[in-house]
Amino acid sequence: MTTVFCLVYFEALILQDGGLSEARFLIPIGGMLLGNSLGGTIIAVALFYNDLRRNENRYVSGLSFGAQRTEALLPYFRTALKSALMPSLGNVAVMGIVFLPGGLMTGQLIAGLSPMIAITYQIALMLAIYTSRTICVTIAIILTSYVSFDEFGMLKKEIFIGK
């Protein structure tokens, strides 16, 4: 869902040529947004629950001292979000210096498009990827937390396979 919103934003406001329904724009840009968001979400959700299970005593202590479930989960959420966003942030930080971005910019340069326009599109795409990944990770952790905890805020052990 989030990827769709970022894709619509990118297509409507950045490309500005009505290419929203054209497969030549929709498929590659949508694939980049979806692939990066999925990778970040997998990293974040796995890290969130692994960290929570490893430090369950600290989480339970927070609950016993009167913290709401969201307050007690906040440190684990921050760690998971930071870890999921580091690859995207690293790519944005070194873009053009060490890292020549993939498909979009290179394809436009080879096709003969102006380097300034290609760079503009690439910066917009990197920001869209970062935004999409951030929102997807946040929503995934929030949604999984609804089924992962009981009414007392305790982590359900039966949702983990093999543990």
Side-chain angles (χ1 to χ4, degrees):
M1 178 72 115
T2 314
T3 305
V4 172
F5 289 130
C6 287
L7 182 61
V8 168
Y9 169 79
F10 189 84
E11 295 279 346
L13 296 177
I14 305 300
L15 293 178
Q16 294 181 348
D17 65 353
L20 186 60
S21 62
E22 292 183 38
R24 67 186 177 120
F25 296 120
L26 192 64
I27 292 171
I29 295 171
M32 286 184 249
L33 291 175
L34 188 60
N36 282 290
S37 296
L38 180 62
T41 302
I42 290 170
I43 291 169
V45 170
L47 183 64
F48 178 76
Y49 286 104
N50 287 337
D51 198 21
L52 184 60
R53 289 179 69 201
R54 191 172 37 253
N55 299 306
E56 192 169 5
N57 290 337
R58 188 176 356 156
Y59 167 71
V60 172
S61 295
L63 289 177
S64 66
F65 285 127
Q68 296 292 323
R69 185 179 68 166
T70 52
E71 293 172 323
L73 290 176
L74 193 58
Y76 308 106
F77 172 74
R78 285 183 183 150
T79 302
L81 184 64
K82 189 189 315 184
S83 297
L85 295 179
M86 287 234 188
S88 291
L89 192 58
N91 286 343
V92 170
V94 297
M95 186 173 56
I97 300 168
V98 178
F99 170 69
L100 182 61
L104 183 69
M105 185 174 168
T106 307
Q108 288 178 338
L109 291 174
I110 291 172
L113 198 63
S114 163
M116 289 306 290
I117 294 173
I119 290 168
T120 304
Y121 284 158
Q122 188 60 43
I123 290 171
L125 180 64
M126 295 302 280
L127 292 174
I129 287 171
Y130 187 80
T131 303
S132 177
R133 185 178 265 204
T134 303
I135 296 170
C136 281
V137 164
T138 303
I139 289 174
I141 291 175
I142 289 170
L143 291 178
T144 59
S145 70
Y146 283 120
V147 296
S148 302
F149 295 91
D150 63 15
E151 63 274 4
F152 303 109
M154 300 305 295
L155 188 62
K156 295 178 184 176
K157 304 279 191 231
E158 63 270 10
I159 65 167
F160 298 103
I161 298 172
K163 301 286 178 178

